[in-house]
Amino acid sequence: MIVLPGGGYAAHAPHEAEPVAGWLGEIGVQASVFRYPLNVRHPAPLDALRAEIGRQRAAGAERIGLIGFSAGGHLAGLAALAPGTAPDETVQFAVLGYAITSMETETYRPSRLILLGEDASPELRRSTSLDALVTPDSPPFFVWHTAEDAYVPPEHTYRLASALAASGVPHVVHVFAHGPHGLGLAQNAGETAIWTTLAEAWIREQAAPREESPPNPGGMPCPSTSARTSMDSSAAT
């Protein structure tokens, strides 16, 4: 997995970087931190992340997942959802923590100004909003947030979750009652601390190698490889 720390596209939060990669390593998932370009306009961070995904795939990675927080979660979502991705730059699943998902709201405006500029057109804001990019072929998502987040309100998670549900994309959603923005691994954060436990089994399932379709000598129609499993959506408050 590739870890994308938050920081409003102006910094990289240290507690959302190596500690997260360390936790993933402890549960048996190979992970690295990617420090994407800061204080630059779209699509520079996305292009850089896609290049890193391509580099890891060229090095032998088959299934690649992203885990991002706040602005890093927005970037993870863009890489998973935005059109124009080359075959070797695709991701198979994404975990978003208290992520910015919409550039159409006025919440957390500083990130939008850095990424899109003061005079961003409605079309540009729409094309960088994750809920507008979801299709039935989007990869599975695990999304979590807290209801008390004052910087990136849970509206962002609700918007993405609604779009995923409308398109039938497998996803898990947890919105916890308490906790501020920027919790990272949320250690000693009360009930919210269980997000890592909840995510662990999901990540293991997504990261597991997929078996190739068996041969079909009888010529019977095979199920579509793009068929989606039933949606798994839950909320914890």
Side-chain angles (χ1 to χ4, degrees):
M1 292 189 74
I2 299 174
V3 180
L4 302 167
Y9 283 111
H12 294 126
H15 71 290
E16 297 168 354
E18 276 74 18
V20 176
W23 162 66
L24 289 167
E26 290 172 1
I27 66 173
V29 178
Q30 184 176 352
S32 60
V33 176
F34 180 65
R35 288 180 167 81
Y36 48 90
L38 301 173
N39 296 299
V40 294
R41 295 289 175 83
H42 175 76
L46 177 59
D47 289 345
L49 176 54
R50 283 175 166 171
E52 173 64 11
I53 294 167
R55 185 192 69 78
Q56 292 204 15
R57 184 149 283 123
E62 294 182 5
R63 294 186 61 78
I64 296 177
L66 305 176
I67 180 168
F69 302 85
S70 194
H74 177 256
L75 180 57
L78 280 181
L81 298 171
T85 304
D88 64 340
E89 296 170 349
T90 59
V91 297
Q92 281 60 60
F93 59 97
V95 177
L96 310 188
Y98 44 89
I100 301 167
T101 69
S102 177
M103 290 290 164
E104 296 183 293
T105 71
E106 290 304 313
T107 55
Y108 219 65
R109 188 168 178 267
S111 291
R112 175 167 58 82
L113 294 182
I114 290 173
L115 190 66
L116 305 182
E118 180 72 47
D119 300 319
S121 67
E123 292 77 17
L124 178 58
R125 293 176 67 175
R126 183 69 173 162
S127 69
T128 50
S129 293
L130 306 187
D131 55 300
L133 300 174
V134 174
T135 73
D137 292 323
S138 297
F141 276 78
F142 181 105
V143 189
W144 72 275
H145 219 120
T146 61
E148 294 179 341
D149 192 328
Y151 288 95
V152 180
E155 170 197 0
H156 284 260
T157 281
Y158 296 141
R159 290 171 72 114
L160 176 59
S162 294
L164 293 169
S167 289
V169 177
H171 66 286
V172 176
V173 178
H174 295 283
V175 177
F176 300 96
H178 302 296
H181 186 72
L183 284 173
L185 293 175
Q187 295 171 330
N188 302 314
E191 183 190 13
T192 309
I194 69 171
W195 86 261
T196 53
T197 301
L198 297 169
E200 179 178 344
W202 188 88
I203 290 172
R204 288 179 184 274
E205 178 184 358
Q206 300 301 323
R210 296 300 195 255
E211 295 182 1
E212 294 185 2
S213 300
N216 187 29
M220 296 297 290
C222 291
S224 169
T225 57
S226 63
R228 292 291 174 180
T229 59
S230 60
M231 181 179 64
D232 178 13
S233 178
S234 59
T237 55

PDB file of all heavy atoms in Angstrom, residues 14-46:
ATOM      1  N   PRO A  14       3.466  14.380   9.840  1.00  0.00           N
ATOM      2  CA  PRO A  14       4.342  13.242  10.177  1.00  0.00           C
ATOM      3  C   PRO A  14       3.603  12.046  10.781  1.00  0.00           C
ATOM      4  O   PRO A  14       3.938  10.899  10.490  1.00  0.00           O
ATOM      5  CB  PRO A  14       5.324  13.846  11.190  1.00  0.00           C
ATOM      6  CG  PRO A  14       5.308  15.312  10.909  1.00  0.00           C
ATOM      7  CD  PRO A  14       3.902  15.634  10.487  1.00  0.00           C
ATOM      8  N   HIS A  15       2.582  12.298  11.607  1.00  0.00           N
ATOM      9  CA  HIS A  15       1.906  11.185  12.286  1.00  0.00           C
ATOM     10  C   HIS A  15       0.994  10.396  11.350  1.00  0.00           C
ATOM     11  O   HIS A  15       0.505   9.325  11.730  1.00  0.00           O
ATOM     12  CB  HIS A  15       1.107  11.701  13.488  1.00  0.00           C
ATOM     13  CG  HIS A  15      -0.110  12.488  13.132  1.00  0.00           C
ATOM     14  ND1 HIS A  15      -0.038  13.752  12.564  1.00  0.00           N
ATOM     15  CD2 HIS A  15      -1.436  12.203  13.227  1.00  0.00           C
ATOM     16  CE1 HIS A  15      -1.260  14.209  12.351  1.00  0.00           C
ATOM     17  NE2 HIS A  15      -2.132  13.288  12.741  1.00  0.00           N
ATOM     18  N   GLU A  16       0.791  10.903  10.135  1.00  0.00           N
ATOM     19  CA  GLU A  16      -0.006  10.190   9.135  1.00  0.00           C
ATOM     20  C   GLU A  16       0.882   9.552   8.066  1.00  0.00           C
ATOM     21  O   GLU A  16       0.379   9.119   7.032  1.00  0.00           O
ATOM     22  CB  GLU A  16      -0.999  11.149   8.484  1.00  0.00           C
ATOM     23  CG  GLU A  16      -2.015  11.712   9.471  1.00  0.00           C
ATOM     24  CD  GLU A  16      -2.824  12.880   8.932  1.00  0.00           C
ATOM     25  OE1 GLU A  16      -2.530  13.356   7.814  1.00  0.00           O
ATOM     26  OE2 GLU A  16      -3.741  13.325   9.645  1.00  0.00           O
ATOM     27  N   ALA A  17       2.172   9.473   8.346  1.00  0.00           N
ATOM     28  CA  ALA A  17       3.128   8.954   7.372  1.00  0.00           C
ATOM     29  C   ALA A  17       3.752   7.643   7.867  1.00  0.00           C
ATOM     30  O   ALA A  17       3.097   6.593   7.834  1.00  0.00           O
ATOM     31  CB  ALA A  17       4.191  10.011   7.084  1.00  0.00           C
ATOM     32  N   GLU A  18       4.992   7.695   8.356  1.00  0.00           N
ATOM     33  CA  GLU A  18       5.686   6.466   8.769  1.00  0.00           C
ATOM     34  C   GLU A  18       4.950   5.663   9.842  1.00  0.00           C
ATOM     35  O   GLU A  18       4.963   4.415   9.785  1.00  0.00           O
ATOM     36  CB  GLU A  18       7.104   6.800   9.228  1.00  0.00           C
ATOM     37  CG  GLU A  18       8.120   6.895   8.099  1.00  0.00           C
ATOM     38  CD  GLU A  18       7.972   8.165   7.268  1.00  0.00           C
ATOM     39  OE1 GLU A  18       7.324   9.117   7.771  1.00  0.00           O
ATOM     40  OE2 GLU A  18       8.495   8.224   6.134  1.00  0.00           O
ATOM     41  N   PRO A  19       4.281   6.296  10.824  1.00  0.00           N
ATOM     42  CA  PRO A  19       3.535   5.463  11.787  1.00  0.00           C
ATOM     43  C   PRO A  19       2.454   4.610  11.120  1.00  0.00           C
ATOM     44  O   PRO A  19       2.203   3.474  11.547  1.00  0.00           O
ATOM     45  CB  PRO A  19       2.924   6.496  12.743  1.00  0.00           C
ATOM     46  CG  PRO A  19       3.869   7.646  12.690  1.00  0.00           C
ATOM     47  CD  PRO A  19       4.320   7.706  11.259  1.00  0.00           C
ATOM     48  N   VAL A  20       1.828   5.130  10.081  1.00  0.00           N
ATOM     49  CA  VAL A  20       0.798   4.369   9.375  1.00  0.00           C
ATOM     50  C   VAL A  20       1.437   3.226   8.586  1.00  0.00           C
ATOM     51  O   VAL A  20       0.946   2.092   8.595  1.00  0.00           O
ATOM     52  CB  VAL A  20      -0.025   5.286   8.454  1.00  0.00           C
ATOM     53  CG1 VAL A  20      -1.041   4.478   7.653  1.00  0.00           C
ATOM     54  CG2 VAL A  20      -0.711   6.373   9.269  1.00  0.00           C
ATOM     55  N   ALA A  21       2.547   3.516   7.920  1.00  0.00           N
ATOM     56  CA  ALA A  21       3.253   2.454   7.199  1.00  0.00           C
ATOM     57  C   ALA A  21       3.734   1.381   8.167  1.00  0.00           C
ATOM     58  O   ALA A  21       3.704   0.187   7.855  1.00  0.00           O
ATOM     59  CB  ALA A  21       4.427   3.048   6.424  1.00  0.00           C
ATOM     60  N   GLY A  22       4.168   1.799   9.362  1.00  0.00           N
ATOM     61  CA  GLY A  22       4.605   0.843  10.370  1.00  0.00           C
ATOM     62  C   GLY A  22       3.474  -0.065  10.823  1.00  0.00           C
ATOM     63  O   GLY A  22       3.652  -1.283  10.981  1.00  0.00           O
ATOM     64  N   TRP A  23       2.279   0.523  11.041  1.00  0.00           N
ATOM     65  CA  TRP A  23       1.114  -0.279  11.426  1.00  0.00           C
ATOM     66  C   TRP A  23       0.768  -1.279  10.329  1.00  0.00           C
ATOM     67  O   TRP A  23       0.502  -2.460  10.618  1.00  0.00           O
ATOM     68  CB  TRP A  23      -0.076   0.631  11.704  1.00  0.00           C
ATOM     69  CG  TRP A  23      -1.389  -0.086  11.694  1.00  0.00           C
ATOM     70  CD1 TRP A  23      -1.807  -1.042  12.573  1.00  0.00           C
ATOM     71  CD2 TRP A  23      -2.437   0.057  10.722  1.00  0.00           C
ATOM     72  NE1 TRP A  23      -3.066  -1.494  12.218  1.00  0.00           N
ATOM     73  CE2 TRP A  23      -3.469  -0.835  11.091  1.00  0.00           C
ATOM     74  CE3 TRP A  23      -2.613   0.872   9.604  1.00  0.00           C
ATOM     75  CZ2 TRP A  23      -4.652  -0.945  10.354  1.00  0.00           C
ATOM     76  CZ3 TRP A  23      -3.791   0.758   8.879  1.00  0.00           C
ATOM     77  CH2 TRP A  23      -4.791  -0.140   9.253  1.00  0.00           C
ATOM     78  N   LEU A  24       0.787  -0.858   9.081  1.00  0.00           N
ATOM     79  CA  LEU A  24       0.486  -1.770   7.981  1.00  0.00           C
ATOM     80  C   LEU A  24       1.496  -2.914   7.940  1.00  0.00           C
ATOM     81  O   LEU A  24       1.133  -4.073   7.714  1.00  0.00           O
ATOM     82  CB  LEU A  24       0.469  -1.012   6.657  1.00  0.00           C
ATOM     83  CG  LEU A  24      -0.724  -0.067   6.456  1.00  0.00           C
ATOM     84  CD1 LEU A  24      -0.485   0.859   5.265  1.00  0.00           C
ATOM     85  CD2 LEU A  24      -2.021  -0.859   6.261  1.00  0.00           C
ATOM     86  N   GLY A  25       2.758  -2.599   8.167  1.00  0.00           N
ATOM     87  CA  GLY A  25       3.770  -3.651   8.206  1.00  0.00           C
ATOM     88  C   GLY A  25       3.508  -4.650   9.314  1.00  0.00           C
ATOM     89  O   GLY A  25       3.702  -5.852   9.143  1.00  0.00           O
ATOM     90  N   GLU A  26       3.023  -4.168  10.457  1.00  0.00           N
ATOM     91  CA  GLU A  26       2.728  -5.048  11.584  1.00  0.00           C
ATOM     92  C   GLU A  26       1.603  -6.026  11.268  1.00  0.00           C
ATOM     93  O   GLU A  26       1.565  -7.128  11.838  1.00  0.00           O
ATOM     94  CB  GLU A  26       2.355  -4.214  12.809  1.00  0.00           C
ATOM     95  CG  GLU A  26       3.532  -3.444  13.399  1.00  0.00           C
ATOM     96  CD  GLU A  26       3.093  -2.478  14.487  1.00  0.00           C
ATOM     97  OE1 GLU A  26       1.873  -2.436  14.792  1.00  0.00           O
ATOM     98  OE2 GLU A  26       3.964  -1.772  15.031  1.00  0.00           O
ATOM     99  N   ILE A  27       0.682  -5.639  10.390  1.00  0.00           N
ATOM    100  CA  ILE A  27      -0.417  -6.546  10.042  1.00  0.00           C
ATOM    101  C   ILE A  27      -0.109  -7.321   8.758  1.00  0.00           C
ATOM    102  O   ILE A  27      -0.987  -7.962   8.182  1.00  0.00           O
ATOM    103  CB  ILE A  27      -1.756  -5.795   9.915  1.00  0.00           C
ATOM    104  CG1 ILE A  27      -1.749  -4.817   8.738  1.00  0.00           C
ATOM    105  CG2 ILE A  27      -2.096  -5.083  11.208  1.00  0.00           C
ATOM    106  CD1 ILE A  27      -3.122  -4.181   8.464  1.00  0.00           C
ATOM    107  N   GLY A  28       1.140  -7.235   8.317  1.00  0.00           N
ATOM    108  CA  GLY A  28       1.572  -8.056   7.192  1.00  0.00           C
ATOM    109  C   GLY A  28       1.354  -7.464   5.826  1.00  0.00           C
ATOM    110  O   GLY A  28       1.373  -8.185   4.821  1.00  0.00           O
ATOM    111  N   VAL A  29       1.153  -6.145   5.748  1.00  0.00           N
ATOM    112  CA  VAL A  29       0.926  -5.484   4.472  1.00  0.00           C
ATOM    113  C   VAL A  29       2.128  -4.593   4.158  1.00  0.00           C
ATOM    114  O   VAL A  29       2.453  -3.681   4.932  1.00  0.00           O
ATOM    115  CB  VAL A  29      -0.358  -4.628   4.500  1.00  0.00           C
ATOM    116  CG1 VAL A  29      -0.546  -3.897   3.173  1.00  0.00           C
ATOM    117  CG2 VAL A  29      -1.566  -5.509   4.792  1.00  0.00           C
ATOM    118  N   GLN A  30       2.783  -4.855   3.057  1.00  0.00           N
ATOM    119  CA  GLN A  30       3.929  -4.040   2.661  1.00  0.00           C
ATOM    120  C   GLN A  30       3.454  -2.634   2.326  1.00  0.00           C
ATOM    121  O   GLN A  30       2.486  -2.448   1.593  1.00  0.00           O
ATOM    122  CB  GLN A  30       4.634  -4.656   1.450  1.00  0.00           C
ATOM    123  CG  GLN A  30       5.892  -3.918   1.032  1.00  0.00           C
ATOM    124  CD  GLN A  30       6.599  -4.624  -0.122  1.00  0.00           C
ATOM    125  OE1 GLN A  30       6.231  -5.728  -0.506  1.00  0.00           O
ATOM    126  NE2 GLN A  30       7.609  -3.980  -0.669  1.00  0.00           N
ATOM    127  N   ALA A  31       4.131  -1.625   2.864  1.00  0.00           N
ATOM    128  CA  ALA A  31       3.681  -0.248   2.673  1.00  0.00           C
ATOM    129  C   ALA A  31       4.859   0.699   2.592  1.00  0.00           C
ATOM    130  O   ALA A  31       5.926   0.448   3.152  1.00  0.00           O
ATOM    131  CB  ALA A  31       2.754   0.171   3.815  1.00  0.00           C
ATOM    132  N   SER A  32       4.631   1.792   1.896  1.00  0.00           N
ATOM    133  CA  SER A  32       5.627   2.851   1.799  1.00  0.00           C
ATOM    134  C   SER A  32       4.910   4.187   1.816  1.00  0.00           C
ATOM    135  O   SER A  32       3.741   4.289   1.454  1.00  0.00           O
ATOM    136  CB  SER A  32       6.451   2.716   0.508  1.00  0.00           C
ATOM    137  OG  SER A  32       5.594   2.799  -0.631  1.00  0.00           O
ATOM    138  N   VAL A  33       5.611   5.221   2.256  1.00  0.00           N
ATOM    139  CA  VAL A  33       5.052   6.572   2.297  1.00  0.00           C
ATOM    140  C   VAL A  33       5.450   7.307   1.028  1.00  0.00           C
ATOM    141  O   VAL A  33       6.611   7.252   0.607  1.00  0.00           O
ATOM    142  CB  VAL A  33       5.570   7.338   3.530  1.00  0.00           C
ATOM    143  CG1 VAL A  33       5.059   8.784   3.528  1.00  0.00           C
ATOM    144  CG2 VAL A  33       5.154   6.627   4.814  1.00  0.00           C
ATOM    145  N   PHE A  34       4.489   7.971   0.420  1.00  0.00           N
ATOM    146  CA  PHE A  34       4.782   8.789  -0.752  1.00  0.00           C
ATOM    147  C   PHE A  34       4.484  10.244  -0.419  1.00  0.00           C
ATOM    148  O   PHE A  34       3.355  10.601  -0.108  1.00  0.00           O
ATOM    149  CB  PHE A  34       3.964   8.362  -1.967  1.00  0.00           C
ATOM    150  CG  PHE A  34       4.253   9.185  -3.196  1.00  0.00           C
ATOM    151  CD1 PHE A  34       5.505   9.146  -3.788  1.00  0.00           C
ATOM    152  CD2 PHE A  34       3.285  10.006  -3.746  1.00  0.00           C
ATOM    153  CE1 PHE A  34       5.793   9.913  -4.915  1.00  0.00           C
ATOM    154  CE2 PHE A  34       3.554  10.768  -4.874  1.00  0.00           C
ATOM    155  CZ  PHE A  34       4.809  10.724  -5.453  1.00  0.00           C
ATOM    156  N   ARG A  35       5.515  11.058  -0.480  1.00  0.00           N
ATOM    157  CA  ARG A  35       5.362  12.493  -0.212  1.00  0.00           C
ATOM    158  C   ARG A  35       5.186  13.220  -1.543  1.00  0.00           C
ATOM    159  O   ARG A  35       6.146  13.538  -2.225  1.00  0.00           O
ATOM    160  CB  ARG A  35       6.549  13.018   0.589  1.00  0.00           C
ATOM    161  CG  ARG A  35       6.523  12.516   2.035  1.00  0.00           C
ATOM    162  CD  ARG A  35       7.684  13.017   2.876  1.00  0.00           C
ATOM    163  NE  ARG A  35       7.446  12.767   4.285  1.00  0.00           N
ATOM    164  CZ  ARG A  35       7.652  11.601   4.909  1.00  0.00           C
ATOM    165  NH1 ARG A  35       8.120  10.565   4.214  1.00  0.00           N
ATOM    166  NH2 ARG A  35       7.393  11.467   6.190  1.00  0.00           N
ATOM    167  N   TYR A  36       3.938  13.432  -1.863  1.00  0.00           N
ATOM    168  CA  TYR A  36       3.555  14.039  -3.126  1.00  0.00           C
ATOM    169  C   TYR A  36       3.930  15.528  -3.143  1.00  0.00           C
ATOM    170  O   TYR A  36       4.149  16.143  -2.083  1.00  0.00           O
ATOM    171  CB  TYR A  36       2.054  13.858  -3.351  1.00  0.00           C
ATOM    172  CG  TYR A  36       1.213  14.228  -2.150  1.00  0.00           C
ATOM    173  CD1 TYR A  36       0.732  15.512  -1.954  1.00  0.00           C
ATOM    174  CD2 TYR A  36       0.921  13.266  -1.180  1.00  0.00           C
ATOM    175  CE1 TYR A  36      -0.020  15.841  -0.846  1.00  0.00           C
ATOM    176  CE2 TYR A  36       0.168  13.589  -0.061  1.00  0.00           C
ATOM    177  CZ  TYR A  36      -0.301  14.879   0.100  1.00  0.00           C
ATOM    178  OH  TYR A  36      -1.037  15.206   1.218  1.00  0.00           O
ATOM    179  N   PRO A  37       3.998  16.150  -4.309  1.00  0.00           N
ATOM    180  CA  PRO A  37       4.366  17.566  -4.390  1.00  0.00           C
ATOM    181  C   PRO A  37       3.372  18.456  -3.643  1.00  0.00           C
ATOM    182  O   PRO A  37       2.163  18.212  -3.651  1.00  0.00           O
ATOM    183  CB  PRO A  37       4.327  17.854  -5.901  1.00  0.00           C
ATOM    184  CG  PRO A  37       4.488  16.529  -6.553  1.00  0.00           C
ATOM    185  CD  PRO A  37       3.826  15.540  -5.642  1.00  0.00           C
ATOM    186  N   LEU A  38       3.901  19.493  -3.008  1.00  0.00           N
ATOM    187  CA  LEU A  38       3.084  20.424  -2.225  1.00  0.00           C
ATOM    188  C   LEU A  38       3.069  21.802  -2.866  1.00  0.00           C
ATOM    189  O   LEU A  38       3.983  22.163  -3.620  1.00  0.00           O
ATOM    190  CB  LEU A  38       3.638  20.534  -0.805  1.00  0.00           C
ATOM    191  CG  LEU A  38       3.701  19.244   0.017  1.00  0.00           C
ATOM    192  CD1 LEU A  38       4.423  19.485   1.332  1.00  0.00           C
ATOM    193  CD2 LEU A  38       2.309  18.676   0.254  1.00  0.00           C
ATOM    194  N   ASN A  39       2.026  22.549  -2.532  1.00  0.00           N
ATOM    195  CA  ASN A  39       1.902  23.932  -2.998  1.00  0.00           C
ATOM    196  C   ASN A  39       2.018  24.040  -4.514  1.00  0.00           C
ATOM    197  O   ASN A  39       2.654  24.957  -5.050  1.00  0.00           O
ATOM    198  CB  ASN A  39       2.953  24.828  -2.308  1.00  0.00           C
ATOM    199  CG  ASN A  39       2.728  24.901  -0.811  1.00  0.00           C
ATOM    200  OD1 ASN A  39       1.682  25.353  -0.352  1.00  0.00           O
ATOM    201  ND2 ASN A  39       3.706  24.446  -0.055  1.00  0.00           N
ATOM    202  N   VAL A  40       1.411  23.098  -5.189  1.00  0.00           N
ATOM    203  CA  VAL A  40       1.383  23.091  -6.653  1.00  0.00           C
ATOM    204  C   VAL A  40      -0.057  22.881  -7.105  1.00  0.00           C
ATOM    205  O   VAL A  40      -0.910  22.430  -6.348  1.00  0.00           O
ATOM    206  CB  VAL A  40       2.296  21.991  -7.244  1.00  0.00           C
ATOM    207  CG1 VAL A  40       3.756  22.284  -6.944  1.00  0.00           C
ATOM    208  CG2 VAL A  40       1.901  20.613  -6.699  1.00  0.00           C
ATOM    209  N   ARG A  41      -0.320  23.184  -8.353  1.00  0.00           N
ATOM    210  CA  ARG A  41      -1.674  23.077  -8.882  1.00  0.00           C
ATOM    211  C   ARG A  41      -1.940  21.686  -9.447  1.00  0.00           C
ATOM    212  O   ARG A  41      -1.031  20.993  -9.909  1.00  0.00           O
ATOM    213  CB  ARG A  41      -1.893  24.138  -9.981  1.00  0.00           C
ATOM    214  CG  ARG A  41      -1.830  25.567  -9.477  1.00  0.00           C
ATOM    215  CD  ARG A  41      -3.055  25.921  -8.631  1.00  0.00           C
ATOM    216  NE  ARG A  41      -2.966  27.238  -8.040  1.00  0.00           N
ATOM    217  CZ  ARG A  41      -3.281  28.363  -8.659  1.00  0.00           C
ATOM    218  NH1 ARG A  41      -3.692  28.335  -9.914  1.00  0.00           N
ATOM    219  NH2 ARG A  41      -3.168  29.519  -8.031  1.00  0.00           N
ATOM    220  N   HIS A  42      -3.201  21.321  -9.397  1.00  0.00           N
ATOM    221  CA  HIS A  42      -3.681  20.113 -10.071  1.00  0.00           C
ATOM    222  C   HIS A  42      -3.376  20.216 -11.561  1.00  0.00           C
ATOM    223  O   HIS A  42      -3.515  21.290 -12.147  1.00  0.00           O
ATOM    224  CB  HIS A  42      -5.195  20.000  -9.858  1.00  0.00           C
ATOM    225  CG  HIS A  42      -5.842  18.883 -10.587  1.00  0.00           C
ATOM    226  ND1 HIS A  42      -5.757  17.570 -10.179  1.00  0.00           N
ATOM    227  CD2 HIS A  42      -6.600  18.888 -11.728  1.00  0.00           C
ATOM    228  CE1 HIS A  42      -6.432  16.824 -11.020  1.00  0.00           C
ATOM    229  NE2 HIS A  42      -6.939  17.571 -11.964  1.00  0.00           N
ATOM    230  N   PRO A  43      -2.865  19.127 -12.176  1.00  0.00           N
ATOM    231  CA  PRO A  43      -2.811  17.738 -11.691  1.00  0.00           C
ATOM    232  C   PRO A  43      -1.439  17.289 -11.202  1.00  0.00           C
ATOM    233  O   PRO A  43      -1.170  16.075 -11.204  1.00  0.00           O
ATOM    234  CB  PRO A  43      -3.224  16.955 -12.932  1.00  0.00           C
ATOM    235  CG  PRO A  43      -2.578  17.720 -14.052  1.00  0.00           C
ATOM    236  CD  PRO A  43      -2.686  19.183 -13.653  1.00  0.00           C
ATOM    237  N   ALA A  44      -0.552  18.205 -10.802  1.00  0.00           N
ATOM    238  CA  ALA A  44       0.804  17.809 -10.444  1.00  0.00           C
ATOM    239  C   ALA A  44       0.858  16.735  -9.360  1.00  0.00           C
ATOM    240  O   ALA A  44       1.586  15.735  -9.517  1.00  0.00           O
ATOM    241  CB  ALA A  44       1.616  19.045 -10.032  1.00  0.00           C
ATOM    242  N   PRO A  45       0.119  16.855  -8.241  1.00  0.00           N
ATOM    243  CA  PRO A  45       0.183  15.771  -7.253  1.00  0.00           C
ATOM    244  C   PRO A  45      -0.340  14.443  -7.797  1.00  0.00           C
ATOM    245  O   PRO A  45       0.232  13.379  -7.520  1.00  0.00           O
ATOM    246  CB  PRO A  45      -0.693  16.294  -6.104  1.00  0.00           C
ATOM    247  CG  PRO A  45      -0.699  17.781  -6.267  1.00  0.00           C
ATOM    248  CD  PRO A  45      -0.679  17.993  -7.750  1.00  0.00           C
ATOM    249  N   LEU A  46      -1.414  14.497  -8.576  1.00  0.00           N
ATOM    250  CA  LEU A  46      -1.981  13.274  -9.149  1.00  0.00           C
ATOM    251  C   LEU A  46      -1.009  12.636 -10.124  1.00  0.00           C
ATOM    252  O   LEU A  46      -0.809  11.412 -10.117  1.00  0.00           O
ATOM    253  CB  LEU A  46      -3.312  13.585  -9.831  1.00  0.00           C
ATOM    254  CG  LEU A  46      -4.000  12.422 -10.550  1.00  0.00           C
ATOM    255  CD1 LEU A  46      -4.287  11.275  -9.589  1.00  0.00           C
ATOM    256  CD2 LEU A  46      -5.282  12.895 -11.223  1.00  0.00           C
TER     257      LEU A  46
END
